[in-house]
Amino acid sequence: MDTIRTYLENMFLHLPKNPEVRRAKEELLSMMEDKYQELKREGRSENEAIGIVISEFGNLEEIAEELGLTNFMHQENKRKNLRVISREDASHFMENREKASYKVALGVVLAIWSPILLIILSSMEEEFLGVQNGGMALGLFVLIVMVAAAVGLFILSGVEYGRYDLDKNADFTLDFQAETYVRNEEDRNRLPMAIKITIGVVLCIVSVLPLILLGILEVRDEMLIMAVALLLFLVGSAVFLFVLAGSQQSSMDILLKKGEYSMEARKRSKKAETIGSIYWPLIVLVYLYWSFTSGLWGFTWIIWPLAGLLFAAIVGAAGLISNKEE
């Protein structure tokens, strides 16, 4: 039933939130629930029942007259022509973001791993392969190359992400097949995503153990340096898994308009951007004026955490006022 209610919310997402529309929405929900229960009593499976209910009641255009929504539908169609995402479009979008996510994840890993060789070689003798400070030079060279490769991957992933603007533009809707496909993918990926996150958390916890144990045993500094290198390696591996899991989930959240990509969250984000465009330049001016006039540069930095807390309070208050007005 949660799937039906979510689908119903998306159907009415762009209609006015007035008493007539709310009444029609409740009436349609009751009709869908009755049909769902009837199908379940006939022995239909959960997915079959949901599919039949949505196919029968899922087109608001067809039942608008029965629900008294004809005028609202005409007004909405004139006001906004939503882009309809097909199953093929949704599949391409998710595949594209998955490919880009691997580039981002690999880039982050390279950035985290880049100082490992430098850390290891710095613990060795100054002369490496017969060259004075050769180890340091080699470590720095590898670090720069890996960071450069990471930046290149970030740029390439940004280009791939830019092929679709669904994360920035909410003016779209999924057709029935696309909706079903994305929800099935969400269910299928729930366990693999949980496994990635679990392994990543375990790696983060395990990564600090060698450093703690060697510190307690008071071993040589070289061993501690190796433990730091191992920590970076394990943390990088964990972050790789986190990025993949997060990107896969965000792709489905974008299409389903959930979480930070819901209409409410997008509205809050726009409000925060509007407020921030005025608020933060003022904070910079206050900071500079206070610092120059007082000369207390070592103290005036406190304005930034305080400004951050105040900004969160202002955005929250603006959201509450907006909700009351609606």
Side-chain angles (χ1 to χ4, degrees), residues 81-136:
N81 184 21
L82 292 178
R83 172 187 175 188
V84 178
I85 304 297
S86 66
R87 183 195 181 285
E88 184 178 4
D89 292 333
S91 177
H92 288 164
F93 172 76
M94 293 172 64
E95 290 174 1
N96 180 77
R97 285 185 65 89
E98 184 176 5
K99 291 177 182 177
S101 70
Y102 275 98
K103 290 183 175 64
V104 173
L106 182 57
V108 173
V109 168
L110 289 176
I112 295 174
W113 285 357
S114 61
I116 290 179
L117 184 61
L118 178 61
I119 291 171
I120 293 173
L121 294 179
S122 67
S123 65
M124 298 182 179
E125 297 179 359
E126 292 186 4
E127 188 173 303
F128 181 74
L129 298 178
V131 180
Q132 188 72 13
N133 294 324
M136 185 72 70

Side-chain angles (χ1 to χ4, degrees), residues 140-292:
L140 284 172
F141 175 78
V142 171
L143 184 148
I144 293 171
V145 169
M146 293 179 72
V147 169
V151 172
L153 289 170
F154 293 148
I155 294 172
L156 290 174
S157 66
V159 172
E160 292 190 6
Y161 280 133
R163 291 179 59 191
Y164 298 89
D165 62 348
L166 301 185
D167 55 332
K168 300 176 183 176
N169 182 10
D171 295 337
F172 69 89
T173 186
L174 302 179
D175 65 20
F176 172 68
Q177 289 184 332
E179 174 94 10
T180 304
Y181 168 74
V182 175
R183 293 196 179 280
N184 288 338
E185 285 296 301
E186 186 177 38
D187 290 337
R188 186 177 67 83
N189 286 320
R190 187 168 283 114
L191 180 59
M193 184 181 68
I195 292 174
K196 288 186 181 75
I197 293 174
T198 301
I199 294 174
V201 171
V202 171
L203 287 175
C204 287
I205 295 172
V206 171
S207 66
V208 300
L209 292 180
L211 192 60
I212 293 173
L213 292 175
L214 293 176
I216 293 173
L217 295 174
E218 298 182 356
V219 298
R220 293 181 304 167
D221 290 344
E222 290 80 359
M223 296 296 294
L224 291 174
I225 290 173
M226 293 295 180
V228 171
L230 178 61
L231 182 147
L232 289 175
F233 178 82
L234 294 176
V235 168
S237 302
V239 171
F240 181 84
L241 296 173
F242 290 149
V243 172
L244 290 184
S247 179
Q248 289 169 352
Q249 184 59 47
S250 69
S251 298
M252 292 174 280
D253 286 347
I254 290 170
L255 292 171
L256 298 175
K257 298 181 180 178
K258 293 170 55 179
E260 64 178 297
Y261 300 101
S262 65
M263 295 305 296
E264 293 77 12
R266 288 176 188 269
K267 289 178 181 178
R268 288 196 298 270
S269 178
K270 288 181 179 179
K271 284 189 180 71
E273 289 178 5
T274 303
I275 295 171
S277 64
I278 301 171
Y279 177 84
W280 289 113
L282 288 175
I283 294 297
V284 172
L285 290 174
V286 171
Y287 168 72
L288 292 175
Y289 176 78
W290 184 19
S291 299
F292 276 113

